[in-house]
C-alpha cells in the first residue's frame, strides 16, 4: 500500500517549505547582509559566545527573557550543534517541523483553502526564523487540535509546553476548562498545573525574574502609545516603572480583561475562540513585537474567509513595516515615527479582522448595516424575478 498525498496537501506542505527555505536564507549567519533574529542576536551573541547559560549565574542585566523550554531548547541546540552553523541548522530544523505541523493542523481544521495565505505570509518569511514564536504557535495549535479531537491529556501537555515556550498558550485555558465536564476539567487542570509548576519549583528565581522583566517593559508598538506618549521609553533607560508607563499598561490590561471576558461568555466553537482570544491579546497588550503575530497565523488560517483578505493585507503590511522601518529613525518607539505609524496601520487591520469575525459569529450587530444587507438581498431577488 503506497503513500498517498492529495493535491491540497502537496500544495500546503510545498508552499510552507518554500517559505521556510526563503526565511532560512534571509536570516542565515552566512548571508550578507542578513536580517536580525533574536535567536542569533540575543541567545547566541549575549549568551553562547560569552559562555553564559540561561537561568544560571550572570547579572541582572543578563536575564534570559524566555521561559524554560525556550532556554532548554537553545542550550540543546548549542550543545548538539557545537558551533554557530550547527546551532542555526538545528534551530531551523525545529522551526521547519513546527511549520509542517501547523500546516497539517490547518489541513485538518480549516474552513477553506484561503487560509493558506496566512501560512505563507510575509510575516512568516520574516519572523518564523526569528525567535521561539513558531514553536509556541505549534504547541498552542496542537493543544487546540487535541482538544477538538477529545484527547484532553495531550491537549493539556501541549498547552503547558506552549506556556514554557512563551507563556501565551494560557489564553486558551479558561475556555477549555469551561467547555469540559467537571471531572475532565479537573484532570486537565491538574495535568497542566503539574507540567507548568514543576520547572518553576526547581528554578523559582529565574522564573520570577523573567516575569518581572516583562512587567517592567514599557509600551512597544501598542496603538495607545498615541494616548500615552510618555510611556514609550527605551528599555535600556528604564530602571523602574514610571507613573505614565503604569497608567498606560493598566489601560491595556483592563481593555484586555474586558474583551476577553466578553468573548469567553459567548458560545463560540474552539477555532473561533482561539483566534479571537489571541486577537484580544494583540489588540490590547502593552508590548506587541512583530514576531508575536506568528502565534495568530495558524488560528486565523482556520477561520479565514475571502471577505477578510483586505483587512489581513493591512494587518500584514503594518506588521512587516515595523521591522523594516525600525532602523530608519533614532526614536523608533515614539509616536508618529515610521515604525509607530506602521503599528497604527497594523492595529486598524487587526481590529477590522476582529470585528469581521465577531459580526460573522453573530456576536456583534450593526442595525444600519443589517438593513442595508436586507435591502440589497430584496433587490437581488427582484432582479432575478
Amino acid at each position: 500500500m503506497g503513500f498517498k498525498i492529495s493535491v491540497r496537501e502537496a500544495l500546503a506542505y510545498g508552499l510552507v517549505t518554500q517559505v521556510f527555505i526563503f526565511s532560512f536564507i534571509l536570516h542565515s549567519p552566512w548571508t550578507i547582509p542578513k536580517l536580525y533574529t533574536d535567536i542569533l542576536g540575543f541567545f547566541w551573541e549575549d549568551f553562547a559566545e560569552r559562555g553564559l547559560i540561561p537561568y544560571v549565574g550572570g547579572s541582572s542585566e543578563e536575564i534570559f527573557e524566555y521561559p524554560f523550554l525556550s532556554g532548554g531548547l537553545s542550550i540543546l541546540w548549542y550543545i548538539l550543534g557545537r558551533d554557530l552553523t550547527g546551532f542555526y541548522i538545528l534551530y531551523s530544523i525545529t522551526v521547519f517541523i513546527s511549520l509542517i505541523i501547523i500546516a497539517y493542523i490547518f489541513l485538518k481544521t480549516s474552513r477553506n483553502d484561503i487560509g493558506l495565505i496566512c501560512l505563507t505570509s510575509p510575516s512568516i518569511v520574516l519572523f518564523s526564523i526569528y525567535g521561539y514564536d513558531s514553536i509556541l504557535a505549534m504547541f498552542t495549535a496542537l493543544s487546540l487540535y487535541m482538544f477538538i479531537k477529545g484527547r484532553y491529556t495531550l491537549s493539556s501537555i501541549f498547552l503547558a509546553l506552549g506556556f514554557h515556550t512563551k507563556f501565551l498558550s494560557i489564553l486558551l485555558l479558561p475556555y477549555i476548562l469551561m467547555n469540559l465536564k467537571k471531572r475532565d476539567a479537573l484532570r486537565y487542570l491538574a495535568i497542566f498545573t503539574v507540567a507548568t509548576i514543576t520547572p518553576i519549583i526547581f528554578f523559582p528565581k529565574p522564573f520570577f525574574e523573567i516575569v518581572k522583566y516583562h512587567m517592567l517593559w514599557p509600551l512597544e508598538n501598542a496603538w495607545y502609545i498615541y494616548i500615552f506618549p510618555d510611556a514609550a521609553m527605551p528599555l535600556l533607560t528604564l530602571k523602574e516603572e514610571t507613573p505614565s508607563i503604569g497608567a498606560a499598561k493598566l489601560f491595556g490590561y483592563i481593555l484586555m480583561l474586558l474583551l476577553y471576558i466578553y468573548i469567553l461568555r459567548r458560545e463560540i466553537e474552539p477555532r473561533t475562540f482561539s483566534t479571537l482570544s489571541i486577537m484580544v491579546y494583540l489588540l490590547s497588550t502593552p508590548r506587541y513585537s512583530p514576531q508575536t503575530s506568528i502565534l495568530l497565523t495558524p488560528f486565523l488560517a482556520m477561520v479565514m474567509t475571502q471577505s477578510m483578505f483586505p483587512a489581513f493585507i493591512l494587518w500584514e503590511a503594518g506588521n512587516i513595516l515595523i521591522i523594516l522601518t525600525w532602523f530608519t529613525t533614532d526614536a523608533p518607539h515614539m509616536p508618529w515615527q515610521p515604525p509607530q505609524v506602521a503599528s497604527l496601520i497594523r492595529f486598524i487591520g487587526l481590529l477590522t479582522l476582529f470585528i469581521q469575525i465577531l459580526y460573522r459569529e453573530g456576536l456583534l450587530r450593526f442595525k444600519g448595516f443589517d438593513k442595508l444587507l436586507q435591502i440589497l438581498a430584496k433587490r437581488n431577488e427582484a432582479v432575478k424575478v
Side-chain angles (χ1 to χ4, degrees):
M1 187 175 180
F3 175 74
K4 294 182 179 180
I5 184 170
S6 68
V7 174
R8 182 172 181 259
E9 291 170 334
L11 179 63
Y13 295 135
L15 287 174
V16 167
T17 300
Q18 289 182 23
V19 168
F20 165 78
I21 292 172
F22 191 26
S23 183
F24 178 85
I25 294 171
L26 281 177
H27 298 95
S28 163
W30 321 292
T31 300
I32 301 175
K34 65 178 183 293
L35 295 180
Y36 171 83
T37 65
D38 271 355
I39 197 70
L40 297 181
F42 175 63
F43 174 77
W44 186 262
E45 295 178 6
D46 292 350
F47 285 85
E49 283 191 336
R50 298 168 62 190
L52 300 177
I53 301 174
Y55 320 122
V56 178
S59 68
S60 59
E61 302 297 325
E62 297 159 344
I63 295 174
F64 191 82
E65 64 179 273
Y66 299 98
F68 298 129
L69 184 58
S70 294
L73 286 173
S74 299
I75 295 169
L76 182 63
W77 297 323
Y78 173 56
I79 293 173
L80 296 179
R82 298 186 179 183
D83 57 16
L84 177 58
T85 298
F87 171 82
Y88 182 72
I89 290 174
L90 288 176
Y91 163 73
S92 299
I93 289 172
T94 307
V95 169
F96 179 62
I97 293 171
S98 300
L99 295 177
I100 291 296
I101 290 174
I102 288 171
Y104 172 83
I105 295 171
F106 163 77
L107 291 168
K108 295 295 183 181
T109 60
S110 62
R111 290 176 171 172
N112 54 60
D113 291 342
I114 196 172
L116 271 175
I117 296 171
C118 302
L119 303 185
T120 57
S121 66
S123 286
I124 296 291
V125 174
L126 289 178
F127 302 115
S128 58
I129 292 183
Y130 190 93
Y132 307 93
D133 299 272
S134 299
I135 302 169
L136 166 67
M138 174 196 65
F139 282 133
T140 311
L142 274 172
S143 178
L144 174 68
Y145 181 62
M146 291 302 167
F147 171 72
I148 293 172
K149 299 284 287 184
R151 304 184 68 177
Y152 303 136
T153 298
L154 283 175
S155 175
S156 61
I157 292 172
F158 285 130
L159 200 69
L161 290 173
F163 178 84
H164 275 301
T165 302
K166 209 176 172 185
F167 295 135
L168 298 181
S169 64
I170 202 170
L171 289 166
L172 275 61
L173 183 61
Y175 174 86
I176 291 174
L177 295 178
M178 288 176 60
N179 285 275
L180 289 175
K181 295 179 181 179
K182 185 177 180 180
R183 183 176 179 180
D184 290 332
L186 290 174
R187 187 168 181 265
Y188 192 104
L189 182 60
I191 294 170
F192 176 81
T193 302
V194 170
T196 303
I197 295 297
T198 300
I200 299 174
I201 292 174
F202 287 99
F203 302 98
K205 183 179 178 181
F207 177 80
F208 289 110
E209 283 180 343
I210 295 168
V211 173
K212 181 182 178 181
Y213 180 85
H214 287 286
M215 293 301 293
L216 284 175
W217 200 285
L219 296 195
E220 179 184 334
N221 306 321
W223 62 269
Y224 45 94
I225 197 67
Y226 293 94
I227 304 175
F228 304 96
D230 292 338
M233 55 190 300
L235 183 67
L236 293 177
T237 66
L238 184 65
K239 297 301 180 182
E240 60 182 15
E241 189 164 285
T242 64
S244 59
I245 293 175
K249 292 199 288 190
L250 181 62
F251 170 84
Y253 293 140
I254 291 175
L255 178 62
M256 186 186 301
L257 181 62
L258 292 175
L259 290 174
Y260 189 83
I261 291 174
Y262 175 77
I263 63 169
L264 187 63
R265 295 180 62 185
R266 301 303 187 270
E267 292 186 5
I268 317 174
E269 58 92 21
R271 295 170 302 173
T272 302
F273 176 83
S274 301
T275 307
L276 288 174
S277 66
I278 296 169
M279 284 182 168
V280 164
Y281 173 81
L282 296 178
L283 285 168
S284 52
T285 180
R287 182 186 185 187
Y288 182 1
S289 303
Q291 65 268 25
T292 312
S293 294
I294 295 293
L295 175 60
L296 180 59
T297 51
F299 301 97
L300 186 58
M302 298 177 194
V303 302
M304 187 77 174
T305 60
Q306 192 170 356
S307 63
M308 298 165 63
F309 184 70
F312 173 77
I313 293 298
L314 194 64
W315 174 60
E316 268 290 319
N319 197 56
I320 62 173
L321 282 172
I322 291 173
I323 191 67
L324 294 179
T325 61
W326 192 263
F327 299 104
T328 64
T329 173
D330 293 332
H333 51 281
M334 294 301 295
W336 303 116
Q337 294 297 313
Q340 299 313 312
V341 173
S343 73
L344 195 58
I345 294 171
R346 178 180 65 178
F347 166 73
I348 294 170
L350 184 59
L351 180 62
T352 304
L353 288 170
F354 184 68
I355 291 172
Q356 283 182 294
I357 296 175
L358 289 178
Y359 188 86
R360 188 181 68 199
E361 297 297 321
L363 304 178
L364 191 64
R365 281 287 177 255
F366 303 105
K367 293 182 180 180
F369 186 64
D370 287 339
K371 289 180 179 179
L372 177 61
L373 290 177
Q374 291 174 5
I375 292 171
L376 291 174
K378 288 179 180 180
R379 286 185 178 179
N380 288 334
E381 290 177 3
V383 170
K384 289 179 181 179
V385 173

